[in-house]
Amino acid sequence: MAELNKTYDPAAVEDKWYSFWEAEGYFFADETRPGPRFSIVIPPPNITGVLTMGHVLNNSLQDVLVRFKRMDGFVTLWLPGTDHAGIATQNVVEKQLATEGLSRHDLGREEFEKRVWAWKERYGSTILLQLKKLGSSCDWRRERFTMDPGLSQAVREVFVRLYEKGLIYRGQRIIHWCPRCQTALSDEEAITTEGGETGHLWHIRYPAEDGGEGVVVATTRPETMLGDTGVAVHPDDARYRPLIGKRVILPLMERPIPVIADALVDPAFGTGAVKVTPAHDANDFEMGQRHGLAPLVIMGTDGRVNENGGRYAGMDRFAARKQIVADLEARGLLVKADPYRVPVRRCERCNTVIEPYLSEQWFVRMTPLAQPAIAAVRDGELRLYPERWVGVYLHWMENIRDWCISRQLWWGHRIPVWYCEACGERTVARTDPTACAHCGSTRIRQDIDVLDTWFSSWLWPFSTMGWPDDTPTLRRFYPTDALVTAADIIFFWVARMVMAGYEFMGERPFSEVCFNSVVRDLQGRKMSKSLGNSPDPLDVIRDYGADALRFTIISLAPPGEDVRYAVEKTDLGRHFANKIWNAARFVLMNVDTPQVAPLASLTDLSLPDRWILSRLQSVIDDVRAAFTAYRFNDGALALYQFIWHEYCDWYVELVKLPLYGTDVSSKRRVQTVLVHTLEHALRLLHPFMPFVTEEIWQALPAAKTTESIMIAPYPTADAAWRDAAAEAAVAQLIDAVRSVRNIRSELGIPPNTALSVRLAADGRRDQVSFIEPYMKALAKVDGVEVLAAGQRPAGEPSALVEGLGEVFVPLRGVVDPGEVRKRLERDLAKVEKELSGVEAKLSRADFIDKAPADIVDKERRRAATLRERKGTLDRHLAVLSASA
Ligand SMILES: [Zn+2]
Ligand SMILES: [Zn+2]
């Protein structure tokens, strides 16, 4: 008989099993194997990434799903890989260069790219190695990288196709410019500060050209006034009607500019009059186009005012702001400066304030691509979980803007466009051209920019499977079934993958998307590297085990709600693993055959046997239903409840009598049910806690058809084992035992003092005879007397057991009721005093309004507990008084 160590040591177990699974090829999805298939692709982590708690949650959920499907008979592919992460990686390598006193320009483009590749070879797989520590069962033979040759070919193919279709164009647009990174960013890379940032709303007077008062405009960025080419008001705004069509003088630049009427202006914002700066604001750019106001760029790519900014030329944008405000004030044109929460965007990579900037960039025309992606979600062909993301998705899709895809970086897929110096035409080609496609000149040069990193990741579900080639993997595993991802990349990635799927494959890329929770600290702040509030998951795995971390984080994560995590909470999973371990040790120590009999051979099952087997069928159904609805935490908690509270707390206790008894057939029967239930529970739990379940499963004396639990079948419920009568009988038994235990503790009767119990269970003698031996064993009761019908003793503490009757615990001869009564009265006085204190606090409006919500909640819970305790004491005292 196998034996388990006294305590569970994850470190000794986890690496061993991971290597075993990998060596056996269990992660490999064989496309030639027949049968149903299930596939998902990993949200590729950046090569600069290290494992965060967000990755832990996301990848644990994916692993639960694929392990479940694999066990459930599907040929299952979980395709892993990494993203080259343009800006992020370039920044990391530039920082490394800086320590050598070098910049990328010192190296030149080619050498710099070599440095980045070298960096990638050395560090780029760090996060994938960490995912292995977590137990992720990815098909590592299919690992891909967004800049490997195959994916680069897919990127090239897509660019050329979209260009030929007229869906890629080069244009002057307002884009988000990072003056530090010196590149354009997409909308999604320009992060809006929640609730804005501290700043001012400056009110500036633009005098009328004819000497009148003119208008007062309100702005948060006064320095951009240098580029104003107009002032706009709402057409229906009566205050300004006389000014429309007239001109005002732009202060400091002393330039006359027109007042125009445009419905885009919000009459309720500021003064209702706004300056129009087409080169430095996206709305103003559109307004300028509608009204023929030419854009005037007044800033360089480094964020300094350029030659169009008059005497402010050469000043940094923020220094210019100060100077301009001072100059306006000196001229009496600054009407006021109100404190204001300014909407600010910052660079996702370096946190520098973004400048809306007019620039020539490459764009993808998104509206036509969005149409099938909108229909798919509308018609339910593609489902999002939780459902509230549908509205968010549709709103973005219906208001989609063109996607700025060029980046002024060196690390990434270089834009496949060549400009001809002879004829000025562009050549866009699948393979690098040597001559102009229009005039044949060899004087061509390639566009120096690279593509947005997401321009490769939006192709991920099919480019990783070999597209544009027609590969067996693609034929077998595309479209994928599910995508499990964080919601913060719904626009960056998810929505764009849907569009790419329909455009290039003619099919949805996945049928269901599960958005996982956000992991926050106990104060509710999102865990992040910059805040330093995230534990290192590898430390947690070392200290608690990967199973404990996986189980805990999943249990804490209801779909659609945030997770509040702190390292100590991992005790939940650790204690659970230990509980199972100890239960398994108990079973192994008490089963004395190398292999137990099959369940079907048993005929004389007891009520507890029938109960636990019936409960097992319920939990199988519950866990399967939880997987289908992407409610993984419900599945985890259902298993926790079943294994801990039903199997360990009750079943194991209930069967100790026959197990330790002398009746050989009862003993065999109980051994069989113990092993059968545990073996099924382990298989159910395997997707959540792969390591501890494998370690125990391997030691169990059960009939097995596979070499590993990870390829054993996932349990299916068998209705034949459903037994409502057994469930009801054991529920009553549990309730009766608990009642006596509660009365004992509420009255302060020592655990070793034997009690006798009287039961008013009209006519349920059969049930009482079932219950009695367990009451004796589990509630330290020396006898159960069944009361005659209608008999109800006075002066004895009691509790109602649903479906059974009332349990009475006589005190005479056991303890001194007078002593108990005095003690309860003292307790009651204490509880009442405490309760009135809490209630007084809760009735004060200043406490309810001012105290933090969690403190108020805590006090409310305290009041409820005290009220309940008071109720119990009142009840017992009433009974004890009746007996006096
Ligand atoms: Zn930046
Ligand atoms: Zn040419």
Side-chain angles (χ1 to χ4, degrees):
M1 183 68 39
E3 252 186 58
L4 298 177
N5 288 332
K6 203 152 181 243
T7 52
Y8 177 54
D9 176 15
V13 164
E14 294 183 348
D15 289 349
K16 173 186 74 180
W17 288 121
Y18 197 88
S19 309
F20 171 72
W21 297 327
E22 212 179 354
E24 292 296 314
Y26 296 154
F27 302 158
F28 176 61
D30 182 355
E31 70 258 355
T32 63
R33 230 181 83 202
R37 57 86 172 158
F38 181 84
S39 69
I40 72 177
V41 289
I42 204 169
N46 289 349
I47 50 170
T48 53
V50 290
L51 198 67
T52 64
M53 288 308 301
H55 291 121
V56 167
L57 174 60
N58 175 252
N59 289 284
S60 295
L61 294 178
Q62 293 181 75
D63 198 43
V64 167
L65 196 56
V66 300
R67 282 180 186 269
F68 161 62
K69 288 290 181 180
R70 204 182 278 122
M71 290 175 77
D72 210 23
F74 291 75
V75 180
T76 301
L77 169 63
W78 182 12
L79 199 155
T82 45
D83 191 289
H84 67 280
I87 298 183
T89 309
Q90 178 158 328
N91 281 354
V92 167
V93 177
E94 284 192 277
K95 261 182 208 152
Q96 199 188 49
L97 280 179
T99 65
E100 301 164 30
L102 293 170
S103 80
R104 68 181 148 121
H105 301 284
D106 296 326
L107 266 68
R109 186 162 187 151
E110 214 167 294
E111 277 308 303
F112 180 76
E113 281 180 66
K114 275 189 199 157
R115 278 293 287 253
V116 185
W117 278 106
W119 185 93
K120 191 255 172 195
E121 287 316 310
R122 180 127 187 235
Y123 304 105
S125 298
T126 304
I127 189 156
L128 297 184
L129 296 172
Q130 294 173 333
L131 285 176
K132 293 183 179 187
K133 281 284 190 194
L134 190 65
S136 307
S137 58
C138 303
D139 185 349
W140 298 110
R141 297 185 206 176
R142 286 193 168 91
E143 181 189 330
R144 302 306 295 265
F145 173 54
T146 48
M147 277 187 39
D148 69 26
L151 272 70
S152 300
Q153 196 202 337
V155 163
R156 178 72 74 92
E157 177 69 27
V158 160
F159 189 97
V160 173
R161 281 199 200 179
L162 290 177
Y163 184 82
E164 286 171 352
K165 249 183 130 170
L167 292 180
I168 279 184
Y169 66 93
R170 190 162 164 80
Q172 290 263 342
R173 285 284 184 286
I174 299 287
I175 44 85
H176 304 289
W177 184 264
C178 175
R180 205 230 48 104
C181 297
Q182 296 267 307
T183 180
L185 302 172
S186 69
D187 283 353
E188 293 73 22
E189 288 165 322
I191 308 295
T192 309
T193 310
E194 264 177 67
E197 296 187 13
T198 308
H200 290 91
L201 190 59
W202 313 90
H203 288 67
I204 305 166
R205 178 171 302 284
Y206 287 16
E209 190 179 28
D210 60 14
E213 289 228 308
V215 286
V216 175
V217 301
T219 177
T220 59
R221 293 189 299 148
E223 67 281 9
T224 62
M225 68 185 287
L226 303 174
D228 284 2
T229 52
V231 165
V233 298
H234 194 277
D236 302 333
D237 194 334
R239 293 173 293 181
Y240 300 114
R241 202 164 290 146
L243 278 172
I244 296 171
K246 303 234 167 83
R247 300 209 293 183
V248 292
I249 300 295
L250 177 65
L252 310 179
M253 301 304 284
E254 314 303 335
R255 185 164 73 222
I257 52 175
V259 178
I260 58 158
D262 194 290
L264 200 70
V265 178
D266 174 9
F269 173 79
T271 59
V274 294
K275 54 203 267 322
V276 183
T277 323
H280 297 277
D281 181 280
N283 287 335
D284 292 8
F285 181 77
E286 287 172 19
M287 234 190 282
Q289 289 207 313
R290 279 198 289 276
H291 299 274
L293 304 176
L296 177 65
V297 176
I298 53 100
M299 211 178 278
T301 55
D302 57 356
R304 290 179 178 278
V305 177
N306 69 10
E307 66 282 1
N308 293 328
R311 63 181 172 281
Y312 304 98
M315 291 175 83
D316 173 75
R317 53 188 169 151
F318 296 117
R321 176 179 298 179
K322 257 191 198 152
Q323 189 59 51
I324 284 168
V325 167
D327 291 350
L328 287 168
E329 199 162 16
R331 286 166 174 70
L333 293 172
L334 184 67
V335 178
K336 61 175 175 169
D338 291 337
Y340 190 73
R341 297 301 295 176
V342 181
V344 171
R345 283 178 180 248
R346 287 179 179 270
C347 172
E348 192 206 8
R349 285 297 149 199
C350 75
N351 208 37
T352 297
V353 173
I354 294 300
E355 211 50 54
Y357 195 70
L358 185 67
S359 160
E360 186 158 52
Q361 302 287 345
W362 287 97
F363 293 87
V364 178
R365 227 181 280 286
M366 298 303 273
T367 312
L369 298 179
Q371 299 321 308
I374 291 171
V377 169
R378 269 243 166 82
D379 304 345
E381 184 180 77
L382 202 158
R383 290 173 298 279
L384 310 182
Y385 298 83
E387 223 181 70
R388 69 184 168 88
W389 289 105
V390 169
V392 177
Y393 171 96
L394 288 176
H395 181 263
W396 186 78
M397 278 288 192
E398 281 157 4
N399 296 281
I400 199 158
R401 297 164 68 117
D402 287 354
W403 174 15
C404 173
I405 51 168
S406 38
R407 296 290 178 277
Q408 289 63 52
L409 302 172
W410 285 358
W411 175 241
H413 299 99
R414 195 153 164 188
I415 290 175
V417 175
W418 284 259
Y419 304 95
C420 177
E421 283 169 20
C423 74
E425 291 290 333
R426 294 177 192 142
T427 302
V428 176
R430 285 175 175 82
T431 49
D432 291 7
T434 49
C436 172
H438 305 273
C439 73
S441 163
T442 53
R443 282 163 50 220
I444 54 171
R445 51 178 180 83
Q446 188 174 4
D447 195 299
I448 58 168
D449 290 346
V450 300
L451 289 161
D452 180 5
T453 255
W454 300 96
F455 196 84
S456 48
S457 29
W458 76 320
L459 314 176
W460 189 250
F462 50 89
S463 63
T464 52
M465 295 191 191
W467 189 90
D469 294 337
D470 180 20
T471 65
T473 302
L474 198 61
R475 261 176 278 152
R476 180 79 168 117
F477 293 110
Y478 190 90
T480 68
D481 295 275
L483 176 76
V484 182
T485 185
D488 58 356
I489 48 177
I490 182 171
F491 308 134
F492 273 115
W493 193 49
V494 181
R496 288 177 184 154
M497 275 192 292
V498 179
M499 293 185 268
Y502 283 101
E503 176 68 16
F504 305 107
M505 297 297 295
E507 241 181 317
R508 62 187 176 187
F510 27 73
S511 43
E512 303 191 322
V513 182
C514 166
F515 290 108
N516 59 241
S517 309
V518 176
V519 183
R520 299 183 183 273
D521 65 13
L522 295 183
Q523 295 168 51
R525 299 174 306 173
K526 189 171 172 176
M527 284 194 169
S528 76
K529 208 165 151 192
S530 53
L531 277 177
N533 62 345
S534 179
D536 182 342
L538 294 178
D539 291 344
V540 184
I541 290 173
R542 190 195 57 221
D543 296 344
Y544 290 80
D547 284 337
L549 177 57
R550 291 165 61 117
F551 189 83
T552 302
I553 198 85
I554 294 173
S555 303
L556 292 173
E561 283 172 48
D562 294 346
V563 175
R564 300 285 173 101
Y565 176 79
V567 175
E568 315 82 77
K569 289 200 178 185
T570 322
D571 272 336
L572 172 86
R574 172 159 63 183
H575 292 159
F576 188 40
N578 289 339
K579 185 81 181 176
I580 301 163
W581 186 260
N582 291 334
R585 267 173 55 80
F586 172 84
V587 170
L588 286 171
M589 279 190 289
N590 287 286
V591 174
D592 45 17
T593 61
Q595 191 167 311
V596 295
L599 196 60
S601 68
L602 304 182
T603 47
D604 51 349
L605 291 175
S606 69
L607 273 176
D609 300 333
R610 284 156 49 201
W611 167 73
I612 198 71
L613 291 171
S614 183
R615 293 296 310 134
L616 175 63
Q617 312 314 313
S618 296
V619 80
I620 292 172
D621 281 344
D622 290 350
V623 174
R624 283 179 168 271
F627 286 150
T628 308
Y630 296 98
R631 300 195 61 92
F632 299 100
N633 73 313
D634 284 351
L637 295 174
L639 283 168
Y640 185 89
Q641 172 69 22
F642 176 75
I643 295 173
W644 191 306
H645 294 301
E646 296 186 321
Y647 184 77
C648 297
D649 283 356
W650 290 100
Y651 184 69
V652 167
E653 294 303 318
L654 293 173
V655 299
K656 275 181 179 167
L657 286 178
L659 197 59
Y660 296 154
T662 50
D663 183 301
V664 174
S665 79
S666 301
K667 206 180 179 122
R668 287 272 178 270
R669 189 197 74 228
V670 164
Q671 289 176 343
T672 302
V673 180
L674 273 172
V675 171
H676 174 91
T677 309
L678 179 59
E679 197 271 337
H680 278 68
L682 291 172
R683 276 192 275 144
L684 287 170
L685 186 62
H686 175 75
F688 295 97
M689 300 181 109
F691 299 107
V692 70
T693 51
E694 180 79 291
E695 179 75 7
I696 297 172
W697 189 83
Q698 294 285 349
L700 277 192
K704 296 164 193 160
T705 54
T706 55
E707 294 297 310
S708 161
I709 191 173
M710 81 162 277
I711 50 165
Y714 205 72
T716 44
D718 180 350
W721 290 110
R722 293 273 190 181
D723 193 329
E727 289 211 26
V730 174
Q732 287 164 21
L733 162 63
I734 290 172
D735 203 1
V737 170
R738 274 206 189 117
S739 303
V740 176
R741 285 177 179 171
N742 286 347
I743 289 173
R744 186 190 286 280
S745 86
E746 284 156 16
L747 298 184
I749 303 169
N752 55 358
T753 306
L755 298 170
S756 58
V757 163
R758 309 211 285 167
L759 204 55
D762 302 315
R764 301 283 326 264
R765 288 196 180 269
D766 56 332
Q767 175 67 349
V768 175
S769 63
F770 157 60
I771 283 177
E772 187 168 9
Y774 297 110
M775 294 287 272
K776 286 179 174 169
L778 302 176
K780 187 87 175 130
V781 162
D782 56 15
V784 178
E785 179 197 340
V786 181
L787 295 164
Q791 196 188 345
R792 212 181 164 283
E796 293 179 9
S798 69
L800 223 56
V801 174
E802 202 177 313
L804 180 66
E806 196 163 2
V807 180
F808 292 89
V809 180
L811 298 182
R812 284 195 194 287
V814 178
V815 289
D816 176 357
E819 282 297 314
V820 172
R821 199 173 132 193
K822 269 188 221 153
R823 199 177 56 244
L824 293 192
E825 277 166 350
R826 280 197 305 273
D827 284 357
L828 180 63
K830 241 194 281 173
V831 167
E832 282 177 335
K833 188 171 168 218
E834 207 182 327
L835 180 60
S836 67
V838 179
E839 281 177 337
K841 201 174 190 179
L842 284 168
S843 66
R844 279 186 2 236
D846 63 329
F847 174 73
I848 301 287
D849 296 343
K850 285 181 199 141
D854 58 326
I855 301 284
V856 175
D857 271 357
K858 203 172 143 200
E859 289 297 300
R860 286 203 172 116
R861 281 198 301 275
R862 203 170 132 220
T865 310
L866 288 166
R867 261 180 232 123
E868 203 187 319
R869 175 95 181 110
K870 177 174 150 44
T872 306
L873 289 166
D874 283 340
R875 193 158 44 78
H876 288 318
L877 279 167
V879 169
L880 290 172
S881 312
S883 71

